[in-house]
């Protein structure tokens, strides 16, 4: 079958090929899985529709699925996150790619729709737009199951599950330990700081850096911002997470108070309108606003537009909003994922674990999907353990094994103080 595609410019492929090679060199776990897939072809003849950020790391994943025998159609999971060089290169790897940086919302949806025309058996999603489109359009026949990459996607899918709307099983890749403990924390932590620095080139040391949301992503960003010498302030709605942030040594306060003192604001809550007009009106001149949550709704852009008299692009990925009273607020990456728009997303070393879970979950769905109900499932424990073991081995780290005595001790309830 000939490869079909819609990308920005196929001539960018040589650069994309090098980017993919670089990622492959830093994703040994996924490359190990690729070698096994190449031999065993567990996905032979399986059509996979995927909606993922089209990055060099995603390229390593889809090439692995292809090596396992799958046919892959790929679209972006955000209108601004596609690396056009990578998208171009993938068209030469026989991947049907529909993605380019700067898609309009209509084009973004059209690309999602396009991947569903390939009669997919498995869907691989990041944010649940692909799965929700397949349900809205009634394209569910023949789909054995899907996997979901991110927290926001899982939240949406849980609503579908609760309403009884789900038509096929979902594997919650996000909820694997080897995903969220590393990707969400260390990946988002590093790539968000990377995006802010690439976009602005400002010094973080000594700045008041406000992190809205103390989930795994927020924890990672707060930790890394502190490492750069910023004074980190956390805002939360969940008392347990707020308490944890306080005991982790961060200043915790309401967004209303933080608005007055913050120099840089980053939202990572997964919710809407976290930073609104009433907060923006209290901010210091030159405050910087960025979002690292999946959707561009966390900073209210309609509010920002409404209180501004003009706006201009002052540098790539930085829009200056001139407020009616003369203060300036700087919005990064149009309020979309700053780590993927202004930087390259999470580093390959964490994506290799997230995507190892994706690849092995696809294999699992092919083997067992038909036996599953239309519910949300955890990544099987064996897969999670296998990914951790492979990652440790790639890092050259050896760990201990329990002795027989220790196994017996852990199993017995009679033994205690001797
Ligand atoms: N999500 C966050 N970082 C990513 C990356 N580098 N590739 C694909 N998806 C991502």
């Amino acid at each position: 079958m000939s490869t079909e595609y819609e990308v920005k410019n196929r001539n960018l492929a040589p650069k994309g090929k090098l980017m993919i090679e670089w990622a492959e060199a830093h994703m040994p776990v996924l490359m190990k899985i690729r070698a096994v897939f190449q031999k065993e072809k567990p996905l032979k003849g399986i059509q996979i529709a995927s909606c993922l950020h089209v990055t060099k790391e995603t390229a390593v994943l889809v090439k692995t699925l292809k090596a396992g025998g799958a046919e892959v159609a790929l679209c972006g999971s955000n209108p601004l996150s596609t690396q056009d060089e990578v998208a171009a290169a993938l068209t030469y790897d026989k991947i049907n790619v529909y993605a380019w940086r700067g898609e309009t919302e209509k084009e973004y949806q059209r690309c999602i729709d396009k991947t569903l025309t390939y009669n997919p058996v498995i869907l691989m999603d990041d944010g649940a737009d692909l799965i929700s489109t397949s349900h809205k359009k009634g394209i569910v026949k023949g789909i054995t199951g899907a996997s979901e990459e991110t927290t926001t996607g899982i939240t949406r899918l849980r609503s579908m599950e609760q309403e009884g709307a789900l038509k096929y099983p979902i594997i919650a890749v996000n909820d694997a330990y080897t995903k969220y403990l590393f990707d969400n924390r260390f990946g988002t932590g590093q790539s968000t700081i990377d995006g802010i620095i690439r976009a602005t080139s400002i010094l973080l040391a000594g700045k008041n850096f406000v992190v809205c949301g103390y989930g795994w992503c927020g924890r990672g960003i707060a930790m890394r911002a502190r490492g750069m010498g910023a004074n980190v302030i956390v805002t939360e709605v969940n008392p347990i997470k707020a308490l944890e942030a306080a005991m982790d040594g961060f200043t915790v306060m309401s967004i209303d108070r933080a608005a007055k003192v913050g120099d840089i604001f980053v939202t990572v809550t997964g919710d809407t309108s976290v930073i609104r007009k009433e907060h923006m009106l209290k901010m210091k001149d030159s405050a910087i606003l960025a979002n690292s949550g999946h959707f561009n709704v966390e900073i209210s852009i309609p509010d920002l537009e409404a209180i501004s008299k003009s706006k201009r692009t002052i540098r790539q990925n930085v829009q200056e909003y001139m407020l009616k009273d003369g203060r300036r607020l700087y919005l990064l990456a149009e309020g979309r994922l700053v780590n993927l728009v202004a930087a390259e997303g999470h580093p390959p070393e964490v994506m290799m674990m997230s995507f190892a879970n994706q690849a092995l979950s696809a294999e699992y769905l092919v083997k067992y999907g038909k036996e599953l109900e239309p519910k949300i499932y955890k990544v099987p424990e064996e897969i999670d353990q296998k990914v951790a073991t492979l990652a440790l081995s790639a890092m050259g780290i050896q760990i201990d094994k329990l002795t027989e005595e220790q196994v017996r001790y852990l199993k017995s309830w009679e033994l205690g103080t001797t």
Side-chain angles (χ1 to χ4, degrees):
M1 217 168 67
S2 68
T3 309
E4 300 169 314
Y5 52 82
E6 211 175 326
V7 298
K8 185 154 287 167
N9 179 0
R10 257 190 135 203
N11 295 331
L12 298 171
K15 183 164 178 222
K17 194 165 174 291
L18 294 178
M19 290 167 73
I20 297 169
E21 268 184 46
W22 179 255
E24 283 172 342
H26 294 88
M27 300 177 86
V29 168
L30 204 50
M31 295 305 278
K32 266 214 166 110
I33 292 170
R34 186 187 292 180
V36 176
F37 273 21
Q38 189 90 47
K39 257 212 281 188
E40 298 177 358
K41 302 281 178 208
L43 307 176
K44 191 161 190 279
I46 298 293
Q47 187 69 52
I48 298 180
S50 50
C51 176
L52 301 165
H53 299 293
V54 181
T55 62
K56 59 190 189 304
E57 292 77 20
T58 296
V60 183
L61 169 64
V62 295
K63 287 180 71 175
T64 301
L65 302 174
K66 184 95 193 158
E71 290 298 324
V72 184
L74 172 67
C75 65
S77 57
N78 184 291
L80 285 186
S81 64
T82 295
Q83 296 168 359
D84 287 317
E85 302 84 351
V86 170
L90 284 175
T91 66
Y92 290 95
D93 291 315
K94 300 199 172 66
I95 307 291
N96 302 299
V97 190
Y98 298 91
W100 58 95
R101 184 168 289 234
E103 291 162 1
T104 61
E105 288 186 10
K106 233 172 153 182
E107 288 167 338
Y108 171 71
Q109 186 61 49
R110 179 160 63 74
C111 290
I112 292 179
D113 295 346
K114 191 75 198 174
T115 65
L116 290 171
T117 63
Y118 287 84
N119 302 320
V121 174
I122 288 176
L123 306 187
M124 207 171 265
D125 210 351
D126 185 340
D129 281 345
L130 179 62
I131 297 170
S132 103
T133 301
S134 106
H135 280 77
K136 281 186 203 147
K137 297 196 152 199
I139 306 173
V140 294
K141 220 176 114 226
I143 298 178
T144 302
S147 55
E148 169 54 51
E149 170 80 8
T150 203
T151 318
T152 294
I154 299 294
T155 307
R156 294 176 79 189
L157 295 169
R158 288 233 182 271
S159 306
M160 288 177 75
E161 186 184 38
Q162 267 156 24
E163 283 178 22
L166 267 186
K167 298 285 185 214
Y168 42 76
I170 308 286
I171 302 210
V173 165
N174 180 71
D175 297 351
Y177 293 112
T178 49
K179 199 281 182 180
Y180 72 86
L181 287 178
F182 304 93
D183 172 314
N184 299 25
R185 185 167 39 162
F186 301 110
T188 311
Q190 178 166 320
S191 62
T192 299
I193 302 293
D194 187 11
I196 292 170
I197 292 176
R198 288 198 210 191
T200 63
S201 95
I202 61 156
L203 182 74
L204 295 187
K207 294 282 175 12
N208 291 335
F209 191 109
V210 181
V211 181
C212 303
Y214 203 65
W216 288 105
C217 296
R219 288 176 176 109
I221 297 170
M223 170 176 72
R224 290 301 180 240
R226 172 153 68 189
M228 296 294 283
N231 307 311
V232 179
I233 296 166
V234 171
T235 73
E236 245 306 335
V237 291
N238 177 320
I240 298 170
K241 289 183 182 169
L243 192 58
E244 189 187 357
M247 293 212 187
D248 281 340
F250 298 112
T251 305
V252 179
M253 60 177 76
S254 66
I255 181 63
D256 207 49
R257 281 190 58 209
K260 294 182 199 140
V261 294
D263 297 304
I264 303 159
F265 295 82
V266 183
T267 51
V268 255
T269 67
D271 211 337
T272 191
S273 302
V274 176
I275 296 183
R276 305 180 291 274
K277 180 176 168 183
E278 64 259 38
H279 311 126
M280 294 166 186
L281 287 173
K282 293 186 180 119
M283 287 179 183
K284 297 199 267 189
D285 180 35
S286 292
I288 290 170
L289 310 182
N291 168 54
S292 238
H294 189 79
F295 288 117
N296 62 336
V297 294
E298 304 207 16
I299 299 166
S300 174
I301 297 170
D303 279 5
L304 189 52
E305 299 269 347
I307 62 170
S308 300
K309 60 180 179 198
S310 63
K311 71 173 174 190
R312 62 178 177 158
T313 301
I314 190 158
R315 21 186 301 130
Q316 197 181 4
N317 295 317
V318 185
Q319 277 185 309
E320 179 189 75
Y321 283 82
M322 183 66 72
L323 271 50
K324 290 175 186 152
D325 64 7
R327 276 177 306 124
R328 295 154 299 174
L329 294 181
Y330 293 105
L331 178 68
L332 307 191
E334 299 177 27
R336 297 196 187 272
L337 289 153
V338 71
N339 59 337
L340 279 140
V341 179
E344 292 172 64
H346 302 352
E349 293 87 344
V350 288
M351 291 315 297
M352 84 176 169
M353 293 197 274
S354 312
F355 286 164
N357 278 292
Q358 286 283 13
L360 297 175
S361 294
E363 180 182 23
Y364 182 84
L365 279 172
V366 169
K367 274 195 193 143
Y368 306 110
K370 291 211 170 89
E371 297 162 25
L372 304 177
E373 290 172 48
K375 290 199 309 205
I376 299 178
Y377 289 85
K378 292 186 85 150
V379 170
E381 171 85 24
E382 315 81 76
I383 292 182
D384 217 350
Q385 293 279 337
K386 178 173 173 175
V387 174
T389 305
L390 286 171
L392 281 171
S393 151
M395 293 168 84
I397 297 173
Q398 273 145 25
I399 59 170
D400 297 318
K401 267 206 168 88
L402 294 175
T403 63
E404 276 181 28
E405 183 199 5
Q406 287 171 327
V407 172
R408 244 183 292 120
Y409 181 84
L410 290 176
K411 280 192 180 149
S412 73
W413 55 269
E414 292 105 329
L415 301 176
T417 311
T418 50

